[in-house]
């Protein structure tokens, strides 16, 4: 057995063990009917992606769950992969082409796609390699890509099936449009940003009352040529007499447009009148639909103004056109005023330009299984953590709208629709789409391809990733499903994702799973839409049983971390500085369930410090005595001598059981930061700061040494097991250095963790009956020791070994101290600890620490300094009280925080107020 080196070197340990795990096949998930399955599918990062702090949090959580499942004896499988990320990847490759002064259309579709595949083979998937540096224990042999041949077949299979069921149609509707990428965008691909511009007040003259005007406000005067009406609220008395009359459009081709009444108009905004431009605004489009007003599209696909905008504006860029429109309105006396205005504008995530609401022909999907998707969450078949997200999910499903599934790109799953040559697809009706002589929809394509033209559009990326939980397991190919363990691993166990894609991905995966999986045989699963699912069948079809929603990582100013802001550290730099385990431990420690995270690098450093503490404690154990048989829990327990247990021995085992119980509960409740904080407190405070210190005297006694070492081995063994999911590298290394496993065995694959009940039973079978009264006495002793140490530190005496204390305490409190004075002085570095009581005129001060009053003799010259110290403490306590009160008054915090966190905050506030009152009393006593 090798010796534990003086210092821990994470880089060497991480490299060694990750390679060893991979070589031994430790990450592989195999069908094993003797074990309970536990499976996770990774939220596939974009093939263009690199590791971010969001990825660190999300994938650390997944790895924690998968490693814990292995320790619990489950057959764990974590399936990795990447998303083809249509627009993101196409944008990257087009950017490379522009450097060569080329456009994709210069190459043509086929040659361009060859370029994209070449880029993907060379640079795509880097993020999966980076995840390995984090310690991700994915089954890399199962790595999937959403453009893999089998996966692509599954995606197109679903399109053809849903088309046949009447759930896919083609329609001209309003979409988010990127004038640079020339494609429709999902809401998720649109980033809202504050933008500064102008609000223009424009007047429209009534046709039958020259000289009388109605005024509107707009940020987009260049779209006035597309106006088809002026809308007012039907209950607005200012305009009752104008409803039904007409006004002259002040810009563009001459036209008379009606004044209409619609309840969508906000009477309180501006003049209470709204210009209706159905081709360029979603609300206006809906108003136009209600009033049967034909839209007038004055913009080209690239954002330039077309001939319908009039000769003065045609051909101009939309932003230059805006300025020109304002000038023309001013010249014509139609511009009443313009004023600076700031509002939020949607930007294309990839092209970083304002998007346009645009009417275009697109393919749309009516969602399947909406009611069953509601039931899946509402009835508890799928549980959300935190639970509050279920309300958001259900609200969205109650108001669900059809999904635009087409994109005007080349990279992606090309829609399997062919049009008969010579047909104008812009004029095809819904009936034409169902006419096989005009439109062909299939996987294989038409038998006479020379007479057909395939649809140019590809599917939205989400229209492939919504199949991820089951298509990655071979669906719908029966042979592949058997090979990949579909029946064993589906439904998957847990999904870890962000709440920002609860609609775009989570809800859609649930609907896809309900429609396409279940007890039906492969092949027949494509015709189940109209059948109702009972509860048992619904449970078989859901894609996952638990969904854990992470928070968003923000900087100390509350801004979301991003490259553009330059406020996000490189995770690989953090791994280099603090080790992968330090990063994992630190990030989880500041990530309470479902709450946004204020990133603090010092917390990552504390993760590294904790790893060093663990290393040094294990090294101390190895140096303290011979390493006996640690090969199993039974072997360690066999060395315990219950008859020789003293109060500290009972206390540390009691705390070990309590910690194990708390961590078990934290995993059951998906409260990972609680687990980390519990482990930190136990190991640092209970074990290292107390038990290891009191053990030093026992290790010098031949009669108590062996039992003391056995207890340390028990604690370290269980601690490594509890810590392994959070800090896998250092725990694997120490597991072997302390002899807890055979040379050919691995903690991560072969070890089994006992829960609190199992560990307590094993201790009982060894004959240990914990003395809880003795353990409680140690707890009280630790409390006063902690308070006295804090007192020393507050008074600049932390390093002194001869401090003198006088304790004002009750008889019961003093009895505990008096029985342990020698230990107490040793643990404190105190010259003396005596009991006393302060008289009103004594030259002393009393400092409150919990229920103890600590009296320190002071001379007359020290009174002023003591008064100043207490005054400063009152000020500090007042700040903490104000901060806690503000937190509890924050509705956002109160509504989202778990009950335990709220209760803790309220208790903290009460404790702070009590302490402040006591310090103020002492301050008053000093005069």
């Amino acid at each position: 057995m090798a010796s534990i080196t003086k210092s821990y070197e994470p880089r060497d340990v991480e490299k060694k063990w990750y390679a060893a795990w991979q070589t031994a096949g430790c990450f592989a998930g195999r069908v094993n009917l003797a074990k309970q399955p536990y499976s996770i599918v990774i939220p596939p990062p974009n093939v263009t992606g690199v590791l971010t702090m969001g990825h660190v949090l999300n994938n650390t959580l997944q790895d924690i769950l998968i490693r814990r499942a292995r320790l619990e004896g489950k057959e764990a499988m974590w399936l990795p992969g990447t998303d083809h990320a249509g627009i993101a990847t196409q944008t990257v490759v087009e950017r490379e082409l522009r450097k060569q002064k080329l456009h994709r259309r210069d190459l043509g579709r086929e040659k361009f796609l060859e370029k994209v595949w070449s880029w993907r083979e060379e640079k795509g998937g880097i993020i999966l390699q980076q995840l390995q540096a984090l310690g991700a224990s994915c089954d890399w042999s199962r790595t999937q890509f959403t453009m893999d041949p089998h996966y692509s077949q599954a995606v197109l299979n679903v399109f053809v099936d849903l088309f046949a069921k009447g759930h896919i149609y083609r329609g001209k509707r309003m979409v988010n449009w990127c004038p640079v990428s020339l494609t429709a965008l999902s809401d998720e691909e649109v980033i809202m940003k504050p933008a500064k511009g102008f609000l223009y007040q424009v007047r429209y003259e009534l046709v039958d009352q020259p000289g009388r005007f109605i005024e509107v406000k707009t940020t987009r005067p260049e779209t006035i040529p597309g106006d088809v009406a002026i809308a007012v609220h039907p209950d607005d008395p200012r305009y009752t007499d104008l409803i039904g009359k007409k006004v002259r459009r002040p810009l563009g081709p001459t036209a008379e447009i009606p004044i209409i009444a619609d309840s969508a108009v906000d009477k309180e905004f501006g003049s209470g009148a709204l210009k209706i431009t159905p081709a360029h605004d979603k609300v206006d489009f809906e108003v136009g639909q209600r009033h049967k007003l034909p839209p007038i599209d004055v913009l080209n696909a690239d954002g330039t103004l077309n001939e319908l905008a009039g000769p003065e504006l045609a051909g101009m860029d939309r932003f230059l056109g805006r300025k020109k429109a304002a000038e023309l309105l001013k010249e014509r006396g139609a511009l009443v005023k313009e004023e600076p205005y700031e509002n939020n504008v949607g930007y294309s995530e990839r092209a970083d330009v304002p998007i346009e609401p645009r009417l275009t022909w697109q393919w749309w999907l009516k969602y399947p299984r909406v009611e069953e998707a509601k039931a899946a969450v509402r009835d508890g078949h799928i549980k959300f953590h935190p639970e509050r997200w279920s309300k958001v999910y259900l609200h969205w499903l109650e108001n669900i709208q059809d999904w635009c599934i087409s994109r005007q790109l080349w990279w992606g799953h090309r829609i399997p629709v062919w049009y008969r040559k010579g047909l104008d697809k812009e004029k095809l009706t819904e009936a034409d789409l169902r006419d096989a002589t005009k439109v062909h929809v299939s996987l294989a394509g038409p038998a006479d391809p020379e007479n057909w033209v395939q649809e140019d559009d590809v599917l939205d990326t989400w229209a492939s990733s919504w199949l991820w939980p089951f298509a990655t397991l071979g669906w719908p190919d029966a042979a592949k499903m058997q090979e990949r363990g579909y029946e064993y691993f589906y439904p998957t166990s847990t999904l870890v994702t962000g709440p920002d894609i609860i609609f775009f991905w989570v809800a859609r995966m649930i609907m896809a799973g309900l429609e396409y999986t279940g007890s039906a045989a492969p092949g027949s699963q494509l015709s189940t839409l109209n059948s109702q699912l009972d509860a048992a069948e619904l449970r078989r079809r859901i894609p996952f049983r638990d969904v854990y929603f992470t928070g968003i990582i923000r900087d100390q100013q509350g801004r979301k971390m991003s490259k553009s802001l330059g406020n996000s550290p490189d995770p690989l730099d953090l791994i280099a500085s603090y080790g992968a385990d330090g990063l994992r431990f630190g990030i989880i420690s500041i990530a309470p369930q479902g709450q946004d995270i204020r990133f603090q690098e010092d917390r990552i450093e504390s993760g590294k410090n904790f790893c060093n503490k663990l290393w040094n404690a294990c090294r101390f154990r190895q140096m303290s005595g011979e390493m006996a048989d640690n090969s199993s829990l039974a072997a360690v327990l066999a060395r315990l001598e219950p008859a020789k247990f003293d109060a500290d021995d009972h206390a540390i085992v009691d705390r070990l059981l309590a910690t194990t119980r708390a961590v078990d509960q934290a995993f059951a409740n998906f409260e990972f930061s609680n687990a980390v904080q519990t482990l930190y407190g136990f190991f640092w405070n209970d074990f290292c700061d107390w038990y290891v210190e009191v053990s030093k005297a026992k290790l010098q006694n031949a009669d108590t040494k062996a039992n003391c070492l056995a207890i340390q081995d028990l604690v370290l063994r269980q601690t490594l097991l509890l810590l392994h999911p959070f800090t896998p590298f250092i725990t694997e290394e120490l597991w072997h250095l302390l002899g807890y496993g055979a040379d050919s065995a691995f903690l991560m694959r072969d070890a089994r963790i006992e829960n609190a009940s199992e560990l307590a039973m094993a201790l009982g079978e060894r004959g240990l009956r914990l003395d809880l009264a003795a353990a409680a006495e140690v707890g009280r002793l630790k409390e006063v020791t902690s308070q006295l140490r804090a007192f020393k530190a507050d008074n600049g005496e932390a390093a002194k070994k001869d401090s003198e204390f006088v304790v004002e305490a009750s008889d019961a409190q003093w009895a505990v101290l008096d029985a342990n004075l020698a230990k107490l002085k040793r643990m404190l570095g105190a010259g003396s600890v005596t009991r006393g009581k302060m008289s009103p005129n004594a030259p002393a001060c009393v400092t409150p620490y919990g229920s103890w009053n600590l009296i320190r003799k002071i001379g007359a010259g020290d009174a002023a300094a003591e008064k100043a110290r207490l005054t400063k403490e009152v000020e500090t306590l007042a700040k903490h009280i104000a901060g806690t009160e503000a937190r509890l008054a924050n509705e956002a915090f109160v509504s989202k925080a778990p009950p335990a966190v709220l209760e803790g905050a309220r208790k903290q506030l009460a404790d702070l107020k009590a302490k402040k009152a006591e310090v103020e009393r002492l301050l008053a006593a000093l005069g």
Side-chain angles (χ1 to χ4, degrees):
M1 191 179 302
S3 297
I4 298 176
T5 57
K6 186 174 182 179
S7 61
Y8 175 53
E9 300 295 337
R11 187 174 302 179
D12 296 339
V13 170
E14 291 163 11
K15 184 177 179 180
K16 176 180 80 172
W17 284 115
Y18 203 88
W21 292 332
Q22 283 193 297
T23 300
C26 292
F27 303 155
R30 304 178 178 89
V31 174
N32 184 343
L33 298 180
K35 290 184 176 183
Q36 178 184 343
Y38 186 92
S39 55
I40 295 177
V41 290
I42 197 172
N46 287 354
V47 70
T48 58
V50 294
L51 197 64
T52 65
M53 290 307 297
H55 291 126
V56 168
L57 175 62
N58 186 288
N59 288 279
T60 295
L61 288 166
Q62 291 176 77
D63 198 44
I64 286 168
L65 287 166
I66 212 77
R67 288 179 182 272
R68 174 76 180 197
R70 291 191 189 102
L71 288 173
E72 291 174 347
K74 298 172 183 174
E75 185 62 34
M77 186 275 290
W78 183 13
L79 189 149
T82 52
D83 190 287
H84 66 279
I87 190 169
T89 306
Q90 181 159 316
T91 299
V92 169
V93 177
E94 286 188 308
R95 191 181 300 133
E96 294 297 315
L97 287 177
R98 283 198 295 273
K99 293 177 182 178
Q100 305 169 39
K101 301 190 183 306
L102 291 173
H103 188 275
R104 61 182 162 112
R105 299 193 183 280
D106 297 328
L107 300 181
R109 188 171 195 135
E110 187 175 337
K111 291 291 184 184
F112 176 75
L113 291 177
E114 288 177 6
K115 287 278 188 185
V116 180
W117 277 106
S118 177
W119 180 91
R120 186 259 175 179
E121 294 302 321
E122 180 183 352
K123 297 180 180 178
I126 288 175
I127 190 170
L128 297 184
Q129 299 168 25
Q130 294 175 325
L131 286 175
Q132 296 182 13
L134 187 65
S137 57
C138 301
D139 184 347
W140 301 109
S141 69
R142 291 176 175 267
T143 302
Q144 301 280 299
F145 179 49
T146 52
M147 288 288 284
D148 284 342
H150 161 75
Y151 198 99
S152 295
Q153 283 295 101
V155 172
L156 300 180
N157 204 332
V158 165
F159 180 94
V160 172
D161 180 66
L162 289 173
F163 180 83
K165 293 169 180 172
H167 271 250
I168 288 178
Y169 64 94
R170 193 167 178 268
K172 191 172 187 179
R173 295 174 61 178
M174 188 70 70
V175 297
N176 301 314
W177 182 263
C178 176
V180 172
S181 303
L182 300 179
T183 182
L185 302 175
S186 68
D187 289 342
E188 192 269 342
E189 294 165 320
V190 176
I191 307 299
M192 301 306 294
K193 296 183 181 182
K196 292 181 178 180
F198 291 91
L199 188 63
Y200 302 89
Q201 188 166 329
V202 182
R203 65 182 190 172
Y204 293 63
E205 188 175 26
L206 271 78
V207 172
D208 64 351
Q209 297 181 49
R212 186 179 179 186
F213 300 88
I214 188 169
E215 296 181 358
V216 303
K217 289 187 176 182
T218 179
T219 59
R220 304 197 61 189
E222 76 279 8
T223 65
I224 287 176
D227 290 354
V228 298
I230 299 294
V232 297
H233 197 280
D235 299 330
D236 193 333
R238 293 173 293 179
Y239 302 116
T240 305
D241 66 321
L242 298 183
I243 295 171
K245 295 182 180 295
K246 291 187 176 183
V247 296
R248 287 189 179 89
R249 197 167 55 204
L251 202 59
T254 301
E256 296 177 358
I257 59 176
I259 298 174
I260 62 174
D262 196 286
S263 57
V265 178
D266 182 357
K267 290 186 292 184
E268 307 304 320
F269 178 75
S271 65
L274 181 70
K275 67 191 266 322
I276 302 302
T277 320
H280 300 290
D281 183 274
K282 291 184 178 181
V283 172
D284 291 7
F285 176 73
E286 293 170 2
V287 173
Q289 290 283 82
R290 286 195 291 273
H291 294 269
K292 297 182 171 54
L293 298 170
I296 301 172
D297 189 348
V298 300
L299 286 173
N300 295 312
D302 63 358
T304 57
L305 290 150
N306 62 31
E307 67 280 358
L308 295 179
E312 301 100 330
L313 299 177
M316 298 185 74
D317 173 78
R318 53 185 169 154
F319 299 114
L320 293 176
R322 185 170 302 169
K323 292 181 180 179
K324 181 65 175 177
E327 292 172 5
L328 292 171
L329 289 167
K330 189 173 184 179
E331 290 172 7
R332 297 171 186 181
L335 182 62
V336 178
K337 67 177 179 179
E338 60 180 281
E339 54 190 355
Y341 187 70
E342 183 171 332
N343 62 337
N344 284 326
V345 173
Y347 275 69
S348 168
E349 181 183 27
R350 300 299 168 185
D352 197 32
V353 296
I355 58 107
E356 283 291 337
R358 188 162 189 258
L359 277 174
T360 60
W361 284 98
Q362 302 287 345
W363 288 92
W364 300 84
L365 168 66
K366 299 174 185 176
Y367 287 98
R369 300 290 181 189
V370 175
E371 291 306 314
E372 287 98 330
K374 294 177 191 175
V377 172
R378 185 184 58 234
D379 299 344
H381 304 296
I382 298 174
K383 292 182 171 58
F384 284 178
H385 310 273
E387 194 277 333
R388 68 174 185 273
W389 288 111
S390 62
K391 296 177 184 176
V392 177
Y393 167 90
L394 291 170
H395 177 75
W396 182 74
L397 286 179
E398 289 292 342
N399 300 277
I400 197 167
Q401 297 182 359
D402 293 352
W403 174 12
C404 176
I405 58 172
S406 51
R407 295 292 181 269
Q408 290 63 56
L409 303 170
W410 285 355
W411 173 244
H413 299 100
R414 192 172 183 179
I415 292 175
V417 172
W418 286 260
Y419 306 98
R420 177 71 69 174
K421 280 186 177 178
L423 288 179
D424 183 353
K425 68 177 183 179
E426 301 298 308
K427 296 180 179 179
L428 291 175
T429 65
E430 184 62 25
D432 291 332
L433 287 177
R434 307 292 161 180
D435 184 343
T437 66
K438 296 178 180 179
V439 177
H440 179 91
V441 181
S442 75
L443 289 176
D448 53 339
E450 67 277 4
N451 296 318
W452 300 84
V453 178
Q454 188 175 358
E455 171 65 68
D456 283 328
D457 291 355
V458 300
L459 289 171
D460 175 19
T461 296
W462 298 106
S464 58
S465 59
W466 75 321
L467 312 179
W468 187 252
F470 54 90
T472 52
L473 291 172
W475 183 94
D477 185 308
K480 281 187 168 60
M481 291 168 73
Q482 183 174 4
E483 174 190 328
R484 298 180 185 180
Y486 168 89
E487 291 290 341
Y488 183 68
F489 287 117
Y490 188 92
T492 65
S493 305
T494 306
L495 175 73
V496 179
T497 189
D500 52 331
I501 54 175
I502 189 172
F503 314 130
F504 300 109
W505 195 43
V506 178
R508 289 168 176 172
M509 282 191 290
I510 292 172
M511 286 184 273
L514 292 173
E515 175 59 14
Y516 286 111
T517 69
S519 58
S524 67
Q525 295 167 342
L526 295 177
S527 57
T528 60
L529 184 65
N530 296 318
S531 62
Q532 294 299 310
L533 305 179
D534 61 24
E537 184 64 19
L538 194 147
R539 283 193 295 272
R540 280 191 288 269
R541 294 185 177 214
I542 55 176
F544 25 71
R545 297 184 178 91
D546 289 281
V547 183
Y548 181 88
F549 293 106
T550 65
I552 295 171
I553 300 183
R554 302 184 182 277
D555 63 15
Q556 285 300 295
Q557 299 177 46
R559 301 175 302 172
K560 184 177 179 179
M561 285 190 162
S562 68
K563 287 182 179 179
S564 60
L565 289 176
N567 62 348
S568 178
D570 185 334
L572 297 181
D573 290 342
L574 293 176
I575 290 173
S577 298
Y578 305 111
D581 288 336
L583 174 57
R584 291 166 62 114
F585 195 87
I587 198 70
I588 298 301
S589 73
I590 56 175
Q593 187 189 79
Q595 295 185 44
D596 286 357
I597 299 145
R598 294 292 180 99
F599 180 76
Q600 301 166 269
E601 191 164 333
D602 60 347
R603 295 298 293 270
I604 308 302
E605 185 175 15
S606 75
K608 175 187 176 181
N609 294 340
F610 181 81
C611 290
N612 287 336
K613 189 80 168 180
L614 177 64
W615 185 266
N616 291 334
C618 291
R619 182 169 183 262
F620 174 80
R621 162 59 191 97
Q622 196 181 64
M623 295 171 62
S624 295
E626 181 181 350
M627 300 302 301
D629 184 3
N630 277 339
S631 60
S632 67
L633 176 63
V636 175
L637 293 177
R639 293 164 38 219
L640 295 179
E641 301 176 69
K644 295 183 178 180
F645 269 48
D646 64 12
D648 290 305
D649 297 332
H650 284 283
I652 194 62
V653 174
D654 178 55
R655 289 292 303 126
L656 179 65
L657 287 171
T659 299
T660 301
R661 192 175 301 110
V663 173
D664 292 345
Q665 191 61 44
F667 269 98
N669 295 336
F670 290 82
E671 294 173 342
F672 306 107
S673 65
N674 285 359
V676 162
Q677 291 161 12
T678 296
L679 286 166
Y680 184 99
F682 167 73
F683 190 75
W684 198 293
N685 300 325
D686 295 319
F687 183 68
C688 294
D689 281 6
W690 188 265
Y691 190 75
V692 168
E693 292 302 316
V694 300
S695 291
K696 290 176 180 177
K698 300 180 190 181
L699 294 175
Q700 304 305 313
N701 186 327
D703 187 51
T704 57
K705 181 175 181 178
N707 184 57
C708 181
L709 291 176
I711 293 171
Q712 289 192 15
D713 287 341
L714 171 66
V715 173
L716 289 172
R717 182 185 189 279
Q718 186 71 1
T719 299
L720 293 178
L721 288 168
L722 291 169
L723 280 172
H724 175 74
F726 304 97
T727 55
F729 293 109
I730 191 171
T731 50
E732 186 77 69
E733 176 78 352
L734 292 170
W735 184 263
H736 288 265
L737 289 173
L738 294 175
Y740 289 123
D743 290 341
S744 60
F746 294 93
L747 185 164
M748 73 153 291
R749 183 188 66 187
D750 304 306
R752 295 293 172 264
I753 190 169
E754 288 75 24
N755 61 36
S757 297
E758 292 167 339
L759 184 57
M761 185 179 297
L763 287 164
E765 291 172 352
R766 180 67 187 91
L768 178 63
R769 300 291 180 268
L770 287 178
D771 186 338
L772 299 182
E777 182 177 291
V778 172
R780 290 190 291 272
L781 192 62
K782 285 161 64 177
E783 178 190 359
V784 73
T785 302
S786 175
Q787 293 165 356
L788 290 169
R789 283 175 174 173
F791 182 82
K792 285 180 65 178
D794 287 348
N795 289 276
E797 299 179 6
K800 288 185 67 175
K801 300 298 182 184
D802 57 354
S803 299
E804 296 184 359
F805 292 99
V806 179
V807 180
E808 184 179 26
S810 66
D811 291 343
Q813 290 171 333
W814 179 250
V816 175
L817 303 185
D818 192 37
N820 293 277
L821 278 182
K823 182 196 300 182
L824 183 61
K825 288 192 290 184
R826 186 172 68 251
M827 297 295 286
L828 279 173
S832 67
V833 178
T834 57
R835 188 184 187 191
K837 190 171 183 65
M838 185 182 78
S839 61
N841 300 318
C845 76
V846 181
T847 302
Y849 280 85
S851 58
W852 309 90
N853 282 337
L854 315 176
I855 304 170
R856 181 166 59 89
K857 299 292 182 183
I858 59 172
D862 295 330
E866 187 63 21
K867 189 173 182 179
R869 188 184 71 78
L870 290 174
T871 300
K872 185 175 181 181
E873 186 171 357
V874 168
E875 293 170 354
T876 301
L877 287 167
K879 288 180 182 178
H880 287 320
I881 289 169
T884 307
E885 285 178 334
R887 200 172 167 211
L888 287 169
N890 185 335
E891 180 59 33
F893 168 74
V894 173
S895 63
K896 295 179 181 179
V901 173
L902 279 177
E903 184 58 33
R906 292 184 181 117
K907 183 178 184 304
Q908 180 186 43
L909 179 61
D911 291 345
L912 286 169
K913 287 182 174 180
K915 186 171 182 179
K916 178 172 176 283
E918 180 63 13
V919 175
E920 287 173 335
R921 182 184 70 78
L922 297 170
L923 187 58
L926 284 173

